[in-house]
Amino acid sequence: MDLLEVEKVSKVFNQNGVPMPVLKEISFRVQEGEFIALVGPSGSGKSTLLRILNGLIPPTEGRVLYRGKALHSVNLDSAMVFQSFALFPWLTVLGNVELGLEARGFPIEARRKKAIQFIEKVGLDGFEEAYPRELSGGMKQRVGIARALAVEPKLLCMDEPFSALDPLTSLALREEVLMLWEDKSMPVNTIIMVTHIIEEAVFMADRVLVLSTHPGTLVADIPINVARPRDRKDPVLNEYSDRIFSLMA
Amino acid sequence: MFKDAKRRAVFGVTLLLLAGLAYAISRQLHFPTGKIELDTALSQLPYYAAYSLMRMLTAYFLSLLFSIFYGYIAATVPKAEGPMIAVLDVLQSVPILGFFPVAVFFFVNLFRGSQFGVEVASIVLIFTSMSWNMAFSTYESFKAIPNDLVEAADGLGVRGWLKFKKALFPICIPRLIYNSMMSWAGGWYFLIACEIIAIGSIRYHLPGLGSFLIESVESGEVWRTFYGLFVLILMIVLLDLFVWRPLSVWGEKFKYEFTTTATVPSTSFALQWYRRLRVARRWGRIKEIIGKPARALNPRRYFLPAGERLAQETRERVWIPLRRGLGYLLVGGIFLLIGWSFFLLIEGLAKPLPPEAGRIPGALLASFLRLGIAYLLALAWTVPVAFWVGENPRAFRIVTPIAEIGASIPATALFPFFILLAVHVLGGMNAAAVLLILTGMQWYLLFNLIGGVQNIPGDLKEAAKALGVSKWLYWRRLYLPAVFPALVTGSITAWGGGWNALIVSEYVVYRRETYAVNGIGAMLDRATYEAGDKQMMLLALITMVIAITLLNRFFWRKLYLYAVERYKIDY
Ligand SMILES: Nc1ncnc2c1ncn2[C@@H]1O[C@H](COP(=O)(O)OP(=O)(O)O)[C@@H](O)[C@H]1O
Ligand SMILES: [Mg+2]
């Protein structure tokens, strides 16, 4: 069975009383263990689609099935990583990472232990008591990732997770995300990542879904058949990038 | 456009509602006669201070609960937002003290003439003086929560109380603390006013610092009055140092990057003490001990995850319809209330006007002139002082602490002295009334002006000086235009304070002798305390509310928009 089935999902927003179609009849499937990248020009509805996949907002038409069951509210088996990090500034790193566990009713000792384990996993040992504002952008996003992973989701949704970071930091963090994804001790094995950087999508993903704009429709679904670990400068990857770029232009 | 019209309609209806309600609840007046005794021995002073503080604290915690609740509902229920904010708008522009007599009689009647009624009335009044700006601040903060944060919480499955506590409420904290400080300072003014009115005009015992002040003056023991004043100031300053300052510094950590708050002190020695004493950790441990048995009772602990699902189902099945039902009930109740007050209003106004009603325009004009004179007096000293402070930093260091202490004394606490002055020195109330109003206006102006002067960019000043402009030109071309927006903001708050001050300064009871001037405030007081004339009371109240509303809408708001547009220094 597919992990996720997206069936003719459309979304219409109301802007000052005028209906504005953002997504139109989008269908695709995601298998367990896949790394999917979602690319498209800005405003094509990538973030909207990701939120629908996660159950944060309902589609206007169509439906999303998770393990064969239609999604009606937030999918607690998945977690989200945001471009803006979306860390709670009044909670420490530990407090942020613990929050999802607290919501799941873990007793304090258990959730603390687990949170610290994931903070170490993203390389932030020693920063448990720091507040987000004391951290650099890269460290903030590590907290965002630790917070998402701590609830041990099957599916990880990331909305332009590296766009707010400087180039070097984002390169390093990409590699780390790939390592976490390949790490068999982590329950998370399926990732859907939104990005507008085509090279990033091609380098990281098994499949790249391309959205067009106004309204967003799925124009291509391109498997990247390149063995891992990949080399950023691999000319085959460049060919993929060029192809996707011409699809979007 | 339509939205605007709707807002205006709600505004009007709320006004009517208030006026009608005021009339409705003042229909049966009884007030005790005869002198009540209040022990003015110095040994009683701590008790009085404690009484006053308790009243303040009760009102404050009520306001806190109210403002969080009100702000949250207004920010999260789309249908409720418009009306709720319009209602808040009206409540904010109403002279609260005008409703005190009404409140007193309502609660005294409700509690069958017992002391408790006055107590409740005073707390209600202080509550109304504290709540509106706090509710606005929570509303605006809740509205400003970034969508990503809400989605982050939802995505993690954070719901209900946990979501409110950890994800939503903290964003309110910095502005809520700042507004709490404002409200607390304003609260003293109304607290003392209540205590003085209660003992002077309606002869109820409301033990507290305010009644102590007036009683000690009446019994001719002025030095005791000074003691009372000293205790009051001491209490205010200590609370500021040990509660508000540490709180506002601590609150900084809740600031979200894009929210801006007014300036707060950035250090507090008291907060450092608390940190050293590990107050938070100790409190955490106490909570842990108390919370353990409570957590053992939590059903979720035992029914994971089936209990979780059950809880969610209950929430969907029961809570959502229940909430909708409550909403309808509330709306129905409000409409009933509106209808009822309309009925009472029409009944009250349908009677032929009493002969005194003809004197209302004159009284209103007299009051307006008094406010105008007080305002000019306030301007006459605050503008130069603010200029002086802005031009040399040494003056800033001298003036600021003095002004802070001066402003922290609630002007009403000085009333006993002004009464002495009026009765024994000035030989009449008119000058004293103007002085009393002045004390209620001047600080708002001073602080806003100093803020405005400090915001003039240094390079502008230097540029003007380098051009060799004369002092007069410097004032006219730089200083006045630059502080104009701050002047307008300060004036709006000052006039708001002034209208309130009217009610306590135009009509004063001293040694069972009434000293009053011709004015709308005095008219309202006389109608309630002397004649028990509901119709006149209603007329005076409505006149005042209408005058204030018109002035705000057609003068201050226009001036404010003009000032912002024309004189904003913005690169
Ligand atoms: N809550 C919303 N209400 C109205 N319009 C929205 C909302 N969220 C997104 N949109 C609109 O939908 C379009 C797609 O937005 P988004 O999904 O953020 O695009 P992308 O992430 O691809 O840049 C944009 O034009 C945006 O203005
Ligand atoms: Mg986006």
Side-chain angles (χ1 to χ4, degrees), chain B residues 197-471:
Chain B
I197 293 177
I199 208 165
S201 305
I202 52 178
R203 303 200 180 85
Y204 267 97
H205 201 88
L206 208 49
L209 283 173
S211 32
F212 176 86
L213 292 175
I214 192 82
E215 270 296 292
S216 54
V217 164
E218 287 205 359
S219 54
E221 288 154 324
V222 180
W223 59 279
R224 286 193 181 169
T225 322
F226 277 109
Y227 269 112
L229 203 57
F230 175 74
V231 169
L232 177 67
I233 296 170
L234 189 70
M235 192 150 72
I236 289 171
V237 170
L238 288 180
L239 280 168
D240 186 55
L241 285 179
F242 288 96
V243 178
W244 295 116
R245 256 160 227 257
L247 257 181
S248 68
V249 175
W250 170 82
E252 297 265 293
K253 85 167 185 201
F254 295 96
K255 263 190 198 166
Y256 198 77
E257 273 96 283
F258 351 110
T259 52
T260 50
T261 31
T263 49
V264 283
S266 54
T267 56
S268 154
F269 68 89
L271 184 64
Q272 281 161 9
W273 288 1
Y274 298 155
R275 290 222 167 108
R276 221 169 291 151
L277 291 172
R278 295 162 193 260
V279 172
R281 197 167 304 167
R282 281 184 195 172
W283 170 238
R285 214 165 296 153
I286 293 169
K287 257 198 332 205
E288 191 72 9
I289 292 164
I290 299 171
K292 242 182 197 150
R295 235 173 297 127
L297 292 175
N298 187 350
R300 270 203 212 168
R301 236 176 110 110
Y302 304 104
F303 299 111
L304 268 169
E308 189 58 25
R309 212 165 300 136
L310 192 71
Q312 171 146 15
E313 235 160 69
T314 321
R315 210 170 286 141
E316 273 162 21
R317 291 255 172 83
V318 180
W319 175 232
I320 291 172
L322 188 71
R323 202 165 51 183
R324 185 169 312 148
L326 281 177
Y328 283 133
L329 219 67
L330 206 71
V331 170
I334 289 173
F335 272 109
L336 256 175
L337 215 61
I338 291 174
W340 182 53
S341 51
F342 255 130
F343 171 74
L344 292 170
L345 194 66
I346 288 168
E347 193 197 51
L349 289 180
K351 280 186 255 169
L353 286 180
E356 297 109 273
R359 287 179 28 227
I360 286 182
L364 184 66
L365 187 69
S367 291
F368 183 78
L369 284 178
R370 231 167 263 130
L371 279 168
I373 293 169
Y375 176 66
L376 290 179
L377 284 176
L379 275 186
W381 80 263
T382 53
V383 173
V385 166
F387 177 68
W388 179 56
V389 165
E391 284 298 292
N392 58 82
R394 215 167 54 90
F396 182 70
R397 279 198 300 278
I398 298 170
V399 171
T400 312
I402 297 176
E404 267 174 11
I405 298 273
S408 75
I409 307 172
T412 40
L414 301 175
F415 276 28
F417 297 105
F418 281 105
I419 294 167
L420 275 188
L421 196 70
V423 174
H424 297 297
V425 184
L426 299 171
M429 262 311 279
N430 245 322
V434 169
L435 279 179
L436 288 173
I437 295 167
L438 176 68
T439 56
M441 278 181 146
Q442 58 194 0
W443 302 113
Y444 298 113
L445 272 177
L446 183 68
F447 285 116
N448 271 289
L449 283 173
I450 289 181
V453 172
Q454 302 243 294
N455 278 340
I456 302 178
D459 47 356
L460 266 189
K461 286 193 218 168
E462 276 164 16
K465 278 180 189 147
L467 288 171
V469 297
S470 69
K471 194 131 205 164

Side-chain angles (χ1 to χ4, degrees), chain A residues 9-62:
Chain A
V9 161
S10 299
K11 182 75 188 178
V12 180
F13 279 121
N14 246 326
Q15 266 190 349
N16 307 322
V18 185
M20 186 186 62
V22 171
L23 293 173
K24 193 160 174 242
E25 301 202 343
I26 292 193
S27 303
F28 61 90
R29 285 152 183 266
V30 178
Q31 263 149 32
E32 192 157 349
E34 275 189 305
F35 193 131
I36 308 273
L38 209 58
V39 301
S42 114
S44 55
K46 304 181 295 292
S47 301
T48 308
L49 180 57
L50 199 67
R51 280 162 175 74
I52 291 174
L53 297 185
N54 207 24
L56 279 168
I57 53 175
T60 315
E61 267 170 61

